[in-house]
Amino acid sequence: MEPPTNALQIMFRGKKLEFINVTGLILHGKFYFGSEGNLEFNHCAVDNLKCRELDIPRLSFENCSVRNIQIANSDISGWLFVTSLVSGIISDSKLFHFRVYGRNFTPTFVNSELDEWKVIHNGLHHEEDFEKTYRTLSKAADDSGNRKLAADYKIRELDFIREKKKGLDRFWMTLNRAYWGYGQKPFQLIKVSLISIFLLAIVYSFFPSSFANNALAGKNYFAVLFNACYFSIVTFTTLGYGDLSPIGGLKILAAIEALFGAITLGFLVAGLTKNS
């Protein structure tokens, strides 16, 4: 079914279609519905929707089945999908300002560009495997060269999976998220490193007598803190110049910091390499 462009613009201007079957609908060309509003589908079957060289803004699908959608050579923006099930293929197209609220959105993107999308699942009806929506959009963004958007959706995909985990699995994923954004935010490790170095330096500064040869004994607190920061830095980076050496229980803490620093620096290099 391929209604003429002019007829569709006149007949469906500002219309809300409910509980109808428009399977096989074909949309082609440029549409502008004017000030009377845009076309809305509510509880409709819009399967096998074919869009060719389409330029139509602000189409709305609410509680719809939009399986096997085929969009090609189109430039569309402002489409809204609310608790709708969407699959199919989108090729050689630009899609901007899309909003996906719940259910699932898993079409295959081929040579297509997407930007400024808004995806929400909390508080809305969605499939148990809604992480596939985030995974789909992450891959599409990555394929189009939008690394920042791809990383954002990858994090949201893993966040969704984490929400379904319990116990230790959820704890480790939470730690992974805070540590370096599941590997998507390696520069976050620099922040983690600086915070760790400073916090441990404060701990060291409380025990000036726990360094060999009373190296920090008798100094004022700010001098102790300065030297503790220096010691924390060379320990974290595993430089270990040896001019300050901990004794007693502080040796265990220093060893843990050195191990944590070596691991963190390794993850930083791996993350930067992966995301370059």
Side-chain angles (χ1 to χ4, degrees):
M1 179 173 64
E2 183 175 5
T5 301
N6 291 337
L8 184 64
Q9 291 183 145
I10 295 171
M11 291 173 55
F12 291 158
R13 184 178 296 163
K15 295 296 191 295
K16 184 174 184 178
L17 306 181
E18 297 181 298
F19 299 99
I20 64 171
N21 187 335
V22 289
T23 296
L25 177 66
I26 299 174
L27 299 177
H28 173 75
K30 186 172 183 177
F31 292 83
Y32 177 66
F33 292 110
S35 59
E36 295 182 31
N38 302 291
L39 179 59
E40 299 179 23
F41 296 95
N42 195 333
H43 290 90
C44 296
V46 201
D47 298 325
N48 300 313
L49 172 65
K50 293 179 174 61
C51 305
R52 303 193 310 264
E53 298 176 352
L54 183 65
D55 183 354
I56 179 172
R58 296 184 296 278
L59 217 58
S60 175
F61 303 85
E62 186 171 351
N63 299 305
C64 293
S65 172
V66 197
R67 292 182 174 91
N68 195 33
I69 188 173
Q70 298 177 43
I71 300 176
N73 302 302
S74 299
D75 189 348
I76 49 185
S77 65
W79 283 23
L80 170 66
F81 296 90
V82 180
T83 58
S84 295
L85 192 61
V86 186
S87 63
I89 184 168
I90 300 172
S91 60
D92 303 303
S93 299
K94 295 181 179 180
L95 300 91
F96 299 100
H97 304 288
F98 271 47
R99 290 167 293 165
V100 178
Y101 298 154
R103 200 63 190 272
N104 229 351
F105 188 94
T106 58
T108 299
F109 288 80
V110 179
N111 193 31
S112 295
E113 182 179 351
L114 65 158
D115 199 9
E116 298 186 39
W117 283 50
K118 185 176 183 180
V119 183
I120 297 175
H121 69 272
N122 289 325
L124 295 165
H125 174 61
H126 59 270
E127 299 294 296
E128 285 294 319
D129 58 352
F130 190 81
E131 69 269 14
K132 290 182 178 178
T133 293
Y134 294 122
R135 188 178 305 144
T136 295
L137 297 179
S138 177
K139 184 178 185 305
D142 189 59
D143 289 345
S144 66
N146 193 333
R147 299 286 185 264
K148 184 177 183 300
L149 188 63
D152 179 61
Y153 281 124
K154 175 56 68 173
I155 289 172
R156 297 182 68 180
E157 173 197 341
L158 295 171
D159 278 344
F160 184 86
I161 294 174
R162 178 168 58 91
E163 289 175 4
K164 298 189 289 184
K165 298 289 186 180
K166 295 181 180 179
L168 280 177
D169 287 339
R170 181 165 187 157
F171 170 77
W172 287 118
M173 287 196 73
T174 300
L175 197 61
N176 192 353
R177 172 74 155 87
Y179 185 57
W180 67 332
Y182 307 113
Q184 301 302 312
K185 294 184 176 182
F187 284 108
Q188 188 167 301
L189 292 174
I190 296 177
K191 184 192 298 183
V192 170
S193 299
L194 292 175
I195 292 174
S196 300
I197 288 170
F198 185 68
L199 290 178
L200 286 167
I202 292 176
V203 174
Y204 296 139
S205 70
F206 291 150
F207 304 95
S209 60
S210 294
F211 287 87
N213 302 319
N214 292 318
L216 300 183
K219 295 181 181 292
N220 66 61
Y221 180 73
F222 291 105
V224 172
L225 181 60
F226 176 80
N227 282 276
C229 286
Y230 161 77
F231 174 74
S232 187
I233 291 171
V234 298
T235 301
F236 189 91
T237 56
T238 66
L239 292 174
Y241 289 127
D243 50 341
L244 284 177
S245 301
I247 58 176
L250 214 60
K251 294 170 66 175
I252 302 299
L253 182 59
I256 293 173
E257 181 181 9
L259 178 61
F260 180 66
I263 292 172
T264 299
L265 293 176
F267 273 110
L268 177 60
V269 172
L272 292 176
T273 302
K274 175 184 174 182
N275 290 279
S276 62

